Amino acid sequence: MVRSTFVLSLLASAGGFLSAEAKEPSKAKHLSGSYVVEFEDSQDASEFFNRIDSKAETRMNFDSSIFKGASIQFHNVESAEDEAAALAGLSSVKRVWPNRIYDLPKDEIVWTGKSKDASAAHSNVKRQLGNDTFSPHLMTQVDKLRAKGIVGKGIKIGVIDTGIDYTHPALGGCFGTGCLVSYGYDIVGDDYTGYNTPVPDDDPYDGCAGHGSHVSGIIAAQANEYGFTGAAPGVTLGAYRVFGCTGSAANDVLIEAYLRAFEDGSNIITASIGGSSGWSEDPWAVVVSRIVEAGVPCTVSAGNAGANGLFYASTASNGKRVTSIASVDNWITPVLLTDSFFSVDGGDEETFGYVVGDPFAWGGVNLPLWAPSFDTTEAAQGCNPYPADTPDLSGKIVLIRRGTCTFVQKATNAANAGAKYVLFYNNVPNGASGPSVSEVTTIKAVGMTTASQGVAWVQSLAAGSEVVLNMTDPETAPVSLITSDNTITGGAASTFTTWNPTYEMDVKPQVASPGGNILSTWPQTLGSYAVISGTSMACPLVAGIYALIADVRGTFDPATLEALIASTANPRLYNAGSGDANVLAAVPQVGAGLVQAYDAAFATTLLSKSYLAFNDTDHLEKTLSFTIKNLGQKAVTYKLGSVGAATAYTFSDSIYPDIFPGLEVSDEYATIKLSRSSVTVPPQGSASISVTVTPPELDGSRLPVYSGYITLNGTNGENLSLPYNGAVGSLYSTRVLDTGYLSISTDPNLAPVNGSASFVLSKNPTASVTLPVAVAFMAFGSPRISIKLLQIKGKTTKNLGDILDSPYDYAPRDDFPAAFDGRLADGTYVPPGEYKFSIEALHIFGNAKKARDWDVSVTAPFTVRYA
Ligand SMILES: *[C@@H]1O[C@H](CO)[C@@H](O)[C@H](O)[C@H]1NC(C)=O
Ligand SMILES: *[C@@H]1O[C@H](CO)[C@@H](O)[C@H](O)[C@H]1NC(C)=O
Ligand SMILES: *[C@@H]1O[C@H](CO)[C@@H](O)[C@H](O)[C@H]1NC(C)=O
Ligand SMILES: *[C@@H]1O[C@H](CO)[C@@H](O)[C@H](O)[C@H]1NC(C)=O
Ligand SMILES: *[C@@H]1O[C@H](CO)[C@@H](O)[C@H](O)[C@H]1NC(C)=O
Ligand SMILES: *[C@@H]1O[C@H](CO)[C@@H](O)[C@H](O)[C@H]1NC(C)=O
């Protein structure tokens, strides 16, 4: 639900990007006064700890072969940046980063069960008898591996998330040795919000958030009443809890979780977490990259920001060597209907199904139906107040057709006529969804039945019959699974899946897997099962598939596994949400395409790369090469070719990337020349192929990103493809700063201040005063944002250099506010007087020393005094 309002607010802003309100309001958030520090390998860190001694407290110590360092919190937040800058100068310190905060992914919760005891959750879903028929598995060939008895036995997968409800019978029912969830740690505790101090304990139970329990079921759910299993039910899971019941997680918490998952011997680590970035240099991404380098494959979801258009890569999936996972929609849309009973004119009870809404006090309700209209085609049924002669509806269940106005409005009109129970019927053939009308306080229960059931009842009512519903209790009633084929977007990229590439033209995502409309486990306290959509759901499936492939091949080598899933994946057709187009989906949207687990597990051809990145026009890598290795026992001849995928235009007539759907795609492909059109590779031998690109001749000012696949058809029956991408135009020449302006710290919307503004600052850093704020309104990502202070003296201005905290490295494409408390980067207070900010953002691939590589915007003047 959250996702769709997010998309709508963006679509509503498609017209112009001139005001702060018109742009996506997300901001990269940091924990004030907190830093992640990496130590030099060979150096003693006591110098560092002596230095911070009384000024800061250590949040976490990192002592792993992957990363040695600490995260710290300065007691005095106001002077923290000075101190942090000084720390960076110590010989024991390699790097210092601000401690960034990440939100729980905004996945769409489509349906949740109502049973608080999963073993008592009854369903009329057919149990699997040997064969895996779960559609995400059919889409990715997991069923074919499972048919051979491959389950990822004994492989350890670390899950970085909200913890796992290991009490759930489908998630093993216990925690510890011998259990499905056999290891892990709670790094944060229930009350952690991202902004307070984590309170760790050794129990990573998820009883209040749900996300991690859903993700874990996708990997390893055991057979259950709902008729599915995880991809690799033979693995054991490690649960690393990084979110409390609500809120966010900081970098240091994520780093700690990854280091623990690594040190505890995880063979694979997965995280369905991310934040807008586009840069691989973020500390969390750096740690994940190093773990991959150390031999543990890591999958990270690509993000749910598809609406933001191209170049919106998410960290840590945008880290080097990290396998970034995009989402495609499920072939089927699962609809879970709670079974209940009805009778017509006192006849036999018959069964019907409905989706439980909110509230849902249906248990024991036994009342006749009443409909405001017998017209089963009426678009706006129940949208107007009921006529005065309406009977008292307190003893009825009001049956209303879905459509036009909101559920709340329809429920309010019914409630005003005395109704306590409302059942909607759908206005489209397939399925139903659970309405929420909880703000209409006199309504006790709500739900929605299918269109066909609703129409049948209305016809009975119209014929003068009485229809009585005998409602079951949603917490204990059986549930039936209705599957409708998704003929519009099934198998195509989910519209929410984030578009790449990175700002440095790295190919992301690597592959796609089903993440739209996925049924999995959910904490028993929250209803035991749920259907959710997001790249969060696509990512764990690939982690499970990595386990299955590793089980078959006996290797965890990350580069090998990634090359196998990429080369055997199936490219997709472009689909902007309304059906397949006649062109392949762009690599920056789906990577190599939909994962094919069986082909990857048994391929005897191994490519040396999982993608080719040709970079932009300025840095064009005209010729790249890769190696084909034949691991089989017979010589194989490969026919080589290439196929273009949709070229996607980043910009149209604005300096902001076009939003999706809405961005332009075309079939103007690059020309690919291969060093040979066919090659015979002896058994256990290899051959090198060079690939020369001629980018399409297109308008570089619109930064079109071209992509496609090198294809290999082997006489061993293996058809492989290797994705590539590149951009026409210059990232270096692309404007990154829209404008910079002056605002004030007390305005939550950070609107521009007009006219002259004056501020009374305090030299007591703990005093609460209104500060001037420099707002960098970013159109594109920048490797460095610098906020400088200009002193106005009569007709001249003098540049005093960076303010405290500035500069900021690797900025995503988000609004960037920086408050000024009177101090410059060296910690000195400027004298009272008149000033302006010079807001400066470095171009991608720019040279910080060259003035012309910066976009600069000077704000309105303001005066500063001290109290
Ligand atoms: C499982 O699949 C195989 C091959 O498709 C089929 O022959 C067999 O009947 C199926 N078994 C069940 C129990 O459906
Ligand atoms: C309502 O359904 C329940 C079963 O859930 C049944 O035991 C009961 O007799 C029914 N009540 C009526 C009035 O039909
Ligand atoms: C593109 O070129 C720039 C400049 O040389 C380089 O920093 C970047 O890593 C290149 N990108 C890729 C994916 O190779
Ligand atoms: C390779 O196989 C694919 C089907 O997987 C086919 O579409 C393509 O035309 C084949 N290419 C060559 C060069 O035969
Ligand atoms: C590979 O492509 C050829 C056509 O070029 C096709 O006949 C064959 O079935 C394909 N093999 C697989 C495994 O898809
Ligand atoms: C400044 O002016 C703009 C338009 O001229 C207006 O939208 C904005 O709200 C004003 N800001 C303040 C703080 O009054």
Side-chain angles (χ1 to χ4, degrees), residues 641-679:
S642 72
V643 54
T647 290
Y649 285 83
T650 307
F651 302 107
S652 51
D653 50 5
S654 154
I655 59 168
Y656 288 91
D658 284 349
I659 59 171
F660 172 79
L663 58 82
E664 184 181 339
V665 301
S666 79
D667 59 0
E668 299 149 304
Y669 305 132
T671 306
I672 297 288
K673 225 179 123 239
L674 300 164
S675 54
R676 42 211 310 189
S677 59
S678 132
V679 60

Short mmCIF file of all heavy atoms in Angstrom, two decimals, residues 641-679:
data_model
loop_
_atom_site.label_atom_id
_atom_site.label_comp_id
_atom_site.label_asym_id
_atom_site.label_seq_id
_atom_site.Cartn_x
_atom_site.Cartn_y
_atom_site.Cartn_z
N GLY A 641 26.43 -14.63 -31.21
CA GLY A 641 25.64 -13.56 -31.81
C GLY A 641 25.35 -12.50 -30.76
O GLY A 641 25.91 -12.52 -29.66
N SER A 642 24.49 -11.57 -31.12
CA SER A 642 24.09 -10.58 -30.11
C SER A 642 22.68 -10.12 -30.41
O SER A 642 22.20 -10.24 -31.55
CB SER A 642 25.05 -9.38 -30.10
OG SER A 642 24.85 -8.60 -31.25
N VAL A 643 22.03 -9.63 -29.39
CA VAL A 643 20.66 -9.13 -29.56
C VAL A 643 20.53 -7.86 -28.71
O VAL A 643 21.03 -7.82 -27.59
CB VAL A 643 19.63 -10.23 -29.20
CG1 VAL A 643 19.88 -10.79 -27.81
CG2 VAL A 643 18.21 -9.72 -29.31
N GLY A 644 19.90 -6.86 -29.27
CA GLY A 644 19.73 -5.60 -28.55
C GLY A 644 18.54 -5.65 -27.62
O GLY A 644 17.56 -6.35 -27.87
N ALA A 645 18.63 -4.92 -26.51
CA ALA A 645 17.48 -4.73 -25.61
C ALA A 645 17.11 -3.24 -25.65
O ALA A 645 17.87 -2.42 -26.19
CB ALA A 645 17.86 -5.16 -24.20
N ALA A 646 15.97 -2.92 -25.07
CA ALA A 646 15.45 -1.54 -25.13
C ALA A 646 16.51 -0.52 -24.73
O ALA A 646 17.13 -0.64 -23.67
CB ALA A 646 14.24 -1.41 -24.22
N THR A 647 16.70 0.47 -25.57
CA THR A 647 17.50 1.63 -25.18
C THR A 647 16.57 2.54 -24.38
O THR A 647 15.45 2.82 -24.80
CB THR A 647 18.03 2.35 -26.43
OG1 THR A 647 19.02 1.52 -27.03
CG2 THR A 647 18.64 3.70 -26.08
N ALA A 648 17.01 2.95 -23.20
CA ALA A 648 16.15 3.75 -22.32
C ALA A 648 16.76 5.15 -22.16
O ALA A 648 17.94 5.28 -21.82
CB ALA A 648 16.03 3.07 -20.96
N TYR A 649 15.96 6.16 -22.42
CA TYR A 649 16.43 7.54 -22.32
C TYR A 649 16.32 8.03 -20.87
O TYR A 649 15.23 8.00 -20.28
CB TYR A 649 15.59 8.45 -23.23
CG TYR A 649 15.94 8.29 -24.69
CD1 TYR A 649 15.40 7.26 -25.45
CD2 TYR A 649 16.83 9.17 -25.31
CE1 TYR A 649 15.72 7.10 -26.79
CE2 TYR A 649 17.16 9.02 -26.64
CZ TYR A 649 16.61 7.99 -27.38
OH TYR A 649 16.94 7.84 -28.69
N THR A 650 17.42 8.50 -20.33
CA THR A 650 17.41 9.00 -18.96
C THR A 650 16.59 10.28 -18.85
O THR A 650 15.80 10.44 -17.93
CB THR A 650 18.84 9.26 -18.48
OG1 THR A 650 19.62 8.10 -18.70
CG2 THR A 650 18.88 9.63 -17.01
N PHE A 651 16.82 11.20 -19.78
CA PHE A 651 16.19 12.52 -19.70
C PHE A 651 15.30 12.78 -20.92
O PHE A 651 15.54 12.22 -21.99
CB PHE A 651 17.26 13.62 -19.69
CG PHE A 651 18.26 13.51 -18.57
CD1 PHE A 651 19.56 13.11 -18.81
CD2 PHE A 651 17.89 13.83 -17.26
CE1 PHE A 651 20.49 13.02 -17.78
CE2 PHE A 651 18.82 13.75 -16.23
CZ PHE A 651 20.11 13.34 -16.48
N SER A 652 14.32 13.67 -20.76
CA SER A 652 13.64 14.21 -21.95
C SER A 652 13.90 15.70 -21.99
O SER A 652 14.89 16.14 -22.56
CB SER A 652 12.16 13.85 -21.98
OG SER A 652 11.54 14.18 -20.77
N ASP A 653 13.07 16.50 -21.31
CA ASP A 653 13.28 17.94 -21.44
C ASP A 653 13.58 18.60 -20.10
O ASP A 653 13.42 19.79 -19.93
CB ASP A 653 12.04 18.58 -22.07
CG ASP A 653 10.78 18.14 -21.36
OD1 ASP A 653 10.89 17.43 -20.34
OD2 ASP A 653 9.69 18.50 -21.83
N SER A 654 14.00 17.79 -19.14
CA SER A 654 14.27 18.33 -17.81
C SER A 654 15.65 17.83 -17.40
O SER A 654 16.16 16.87 -17.97
CB SER A 654 13.19 17.81 -16.85
OG SER A 654 13.68 17.76 -15.52
N ILE A 655 16.25 18.47 -16.41
CA ILE A 655 17.53 17.96 -15.91
C ILE A 655 17.31 16.82 -14.92
O ILE A 655 18.25 16.23 -14.43
CB ILE A 655 18.39 19.07 -15.25
CG1 ILE A 655 17.65 19.69 -14.07
CG2 ILE A 655 18.79 20.11 -16.28
CD1 ILE A 655 18.54 20.57 -13.21
N TYR A 656 16.03 16.52 -14.64
CA TYR A 656 15.70 15.37 -13.80
C TYR A 656 15.42 14.16 -14.66
O TYR A 656 14.77 14.27 -15.70
CB TYR A 656 14.45 15.67 -12.94
CG TYR A 656 14.75 16.64 -11.85
CD1 TYR A 656 14.58 18.00 -12.05
CD2 TYR A 656 15.23 16.19 -10.63
CE1 TYR A 656 14.90 18.90 -11.06
CE2 TYR A 656 15.54 17.09 -9.63
CZ TYR A 656 15.37 18.44 -9.84
OH TYR A 656 15.68 19.32 -8.86
N PRO A 657 15.89 12.98 -14.25
CA PRO A 657 15.57 11.77 -15.00
C PRO A 657 14.06 11.60 -15.12
O PRO A 657 13.31 11.91 -14.19
CB PRO A 657 16.19 10.66 -14.16
CG PRO A 657 17.32 11.33 -13.44
CD PRO A 657 16.81 12.71 -13.13
N ASP A 658 13.62 11.09 -16.27
CA ASP A 658 12.21 10.81 -16.45
C ASP A 658 11.78 9.70 -15.50
O ASP A 658 12.57 8.82 -15.18
CB ASP A 658 11.94 10.36 -17.90
CG ASP A 658 11.96 11.54 -18.85
OD1 ASP A 658 11.96 12.70 -18.37
OD2 ASP A 658 11.98 11.31 -20.07
N ILE A 659 10.52 9.77 -15.10
CA ILE A 659 10.01 8.76 -14.20
C ILE A 659 9.48 7.57 -14.99
O ILE A 659 9.25 7.66 -16.19
CB ILE A 659 8.91 9.33 -13.28
CG1 ILE A 659 7.76 9.89 -14.12
CG2 ILE A 659 9.49 10.41 -12.38
CD1 ILE A 659 6.56 10.26 -13.28
N PHE A 660 9.31 6.44 -14.30
CA PHE A 660 8.82 5.23 -14.94
C PHE A 660 7.52 4.79 -14.28
O PHE A 660 7.45 4.83 -13.04
CB PHE A 660 9.87 4.11 -14.80
CG PHE A 660 9.39 2.77 -15.27
CD1 PHE A 660 9.35 2.48 -16.63
CD2 PHE A 660 8.94 1.82 -14.36
CE1 PHE A 660 8.88 1.25 -17.06
CE2 PHE A 660 8.47 0.59 -14.81
CZ PHE A 660 8.43 0.31 -16.15
N PRO A 661 6.49 4.33 -15.01
CA PRO A 661 6.42 4.31 -16.47
C PRO A 661 6.35 5.74 -17.00
O PRO A 661 5.91 6.63 -16.30
CB PRO A 661 5.12 3.59 -16.76
CG PRO A 661 4.67 2.99 -15.48
CD PRO A 661 5.28 3.80 -14.38
N GLY A 662 6.77 5.92 -18.21
CA GLY A 662 6.76 7.25 -18.79
C GLY A 662 8.07 7.57 -19.47
O GLY A 662 8.12 8.42 -20.36
N LEU A 663 9.14 6.91 -19.07
CA LEU A 663 10.40 7.22 -19.74
C LEU A 663 10.40 6.54 -21.12
O LEU A 663 9.72 5.54 -21.35
CB LEU A 663 11.60 6.78 -18.89
CG LEU A 663 11.77 5.34 -18.45
CD1 LEU A 663 12.40 4.49 -19.53
CD2 LEU A 663 12.64 5.30 -17.21
N GLU A 664 11.13 7.15 -22.04
CA GLU A 664 11.09 6.68 -23.42
C GLU A 664 12.06 5.52 -23.62
O GLU A 664 13.21 5.58 -23.21
CB GLU A 664 11.48 7.84 -24.35
CG GLU A 664 11.37 7.46 -25.82
CD GLU A 664 11.77 8.59 -26.76
OE1 GLU A 664 11.76 9.77 -26.32
OE2 GLU A 664 12.11 8.29 -27.92
N VAL A 665 11.56 4.47 -24.28
CA VAL A 665 12.46 3.39 -24.69
C VAL A 665 12.35 3.23 -26.20
O VAL A 665 11.35 3.61 -26.80
CB VAL A 665 12.13 2.05 -24.00
CG1 VAL A 665 12.23 2.15 -22.50
CG2 VAL A 665 10.79 1.52 -24.44
N SER A 666 13.41 2.70 -26.81
CA SER A 666 13.37 2.53 -28.26
C SER A 666 14.18 1.31 -28.64
O SER A 666 14.86 0.70 -27.81
CB SER A 666 13.95 3.77 -28.95
OG SER A 666 15.35 3.71 -28.90
N ASP A 667 14.11 0.96 -29.92
CA ASP A 667 14.86 -0.19 -30.40
C ASP A 667 16.10 0.26 -31.19
O ASP A 667 16.52 -0.39 -32.14
CB ASP A 667 13.98 -1.12 -31.24
CG ASP A 667 13.37 -0.43 -32.44
OD1 ASP A 667 13.64 0.79 -32.63
OD2 ASP A 667 12.63 -1.08 -33.19
N GLU A 668 16.67 1.38 -30.80
CA GLU A 668 17.92 1.85 -31.42
C GLU A 668 19.08 1.19 -30.68
O GLU A 668 19.47 1.63 -29.60
CB GLU A 668 18.00 3.38 -31.30
CG GLU A 668 16.85 4.07 -31.99
CD GLU A 668 16.44 5.38 -31.34
OE1 GLU A 668 16.13 5.38 -30.12
OE2 GLU A 668 16.45 6.41 -32.02
N TYR A 669 19.59 0.11 -31.26
CA TYR A 669 20.58 -0.71 -30.56
C TYR A 669 22.01 -0.32 -30.91
O TYR A 669 22.27 0.26 -31.96
CB TYR A 669 20.39 -2.18 -30.92
CG TYR A 669 19.00 -2.72 -30.68
CD1 TYR A 669 18.35 -3.47 -31.66
CD2 TYR A 669 18.34 -2.48 -29.48
CE1 TYR A 669 17.07 -3.97 -31.44
CE2 TYR A 669 17.06 -2.98 -29.25
CZ TYR A 669 16.43 -3.72 -30.25
OH TYR A 669 15.17 -4.22 -30.03
N ALA A 670 22.92 -0.73 -30.04
CA ALA A 670 24.34 -0.64 -30.36
C ALA A 670 24.67 -1.73 -31.38
O ALA A 670 23.95 -2.72 -31.50
CB ALA A 670 25.17 -0.87 -29.10
N THR A 671 25.75 -1.49 -32.14
CA THR A 671 26.22 -2.53 -33.06
C THR A 671 27.35 -3.28 -32.35
O THR A 671 28.29 -2.65 -31.85
CB THR A 671 26.74 -1.90 -34.36
OG1 THR A 671 25.70 -1.07 -34.87
CG2 THR A 671 27.11 -2.97 -35.38
N ILE A 672 27.23 -4.59 -32.32
CA ILE A 672 28.22 -5.40 -31.61
C ILE A 672 28.98 -6.24 -32.64
O ILE A 672 28.37 -6.89 -33.50
CB ILE A 672 27.51 -6.36 -30.62
CG1 ILE A 672 26.76 -5.57 -29.55
CG2 ILE A 672 28.49 -7.36 -30.01
CD1 ILE A 672 27.63 -4.89 -28.52
N LYS A 673 30.29 -6.15 -32.58
CA LYS A 673 31.13 -6.98 -33.45
C LYS A 673 31.90 -7.95 -32.58
O LYS A 673 32.56 -7.54 -31.62
CB LYS A 673 32.09 -6.09 -34.24
CG LYS A 673 32.15 -6.48 -35.70
CD LYS A 673 33.09 -5.59 -36.51
CE LYS A 673 34.11 -6.46 -37.17
NZ LYS A 673 35.48 -6.16 -36.83
N LEU A 674 31.80 -9.23 -32.91
CA LEU A 674 32.49 -10.24 -32.12
C LEU A 674 33.73 -10.70 -32.86
O LEU A 674 33.76 -10.73 -34.09
CB LEU A 674 31.55 -11.43 -31.88
CG LEU A 674 30.27 -11.06 -31.12
CD1 LEU A 674 29.23 -12.14 -31.25
CD2 LEU A 674 30.60 -10.77 -29.66
N SER A 675 34.75 -11.09 -32.11
CA SER A 675 36.01 -11.48 -32.75
C SER A 675 35.81 -12.75 -33.59
O SER A 675 36.58 -13.02 -34.49
CB SER A 675 37.11 -11.70 -31.72
OG SER A 675 36.67 -12.61 -30.73
N ARG A 676 34.77 -13.52 -33.31
CA ARG A 676 34.44 -14.66 -34.17
C ARG A 676 32.97 -14.97 -34.05
O ARG A 676 32.33 -14.63 -33.05
CB ARG A 676 35.30 -15.86 -33.82
CG ARG A 676 35.49 -16.09 -32.34
CD ARG A 676 36.83 -16.72 -32.02
NE ARG A 676 37.03 -17.88 -32.87
CZ ARG A 676 38.02 -18.75 -32.74
NH1 ARG A 676 38.89 -18.59 -31.76
NH2 ARG A 676 38.15 -19.76 -33.55
N SER A 677 32.43 -15.61 -35.06
CA SER A 677 31.00 -15.89 -35.05
C SER A 677 30.73 -17.30 -34.55
O SER A 677 29.59 -17.66 -34.27
CB SER A 677 30.40 -15.70 -36.44
OG SER A 677 31.05 -16.58 -37.33
N SER A 678 31.77 -18.08 -34.43
CA SER A 678 31.60 -19.41 -33.89
C SER A 678 32.95 -19.89 -33.38
O SER A 678 34.00 -19.48 -33.89
CB SER A 678 30.99 -20.30 -34.98
OG SER A 678 31.66 -21.51 -35.11
N VAL A 679 32.94 -20.71 -32.35
CA VAL A 679 34.19 -21.17 -31.79
C VAL A 679 33.99 -22.58 -31.23
O VAL A 679 32.95 -22.88 -30.65
CB VAL A 679 34.72 -20.21 -30.71
CG1 VAL A 679 33.73 -20.08 -29.57
CG2 VAL A 679 36.08 -20.63 -30.19
#
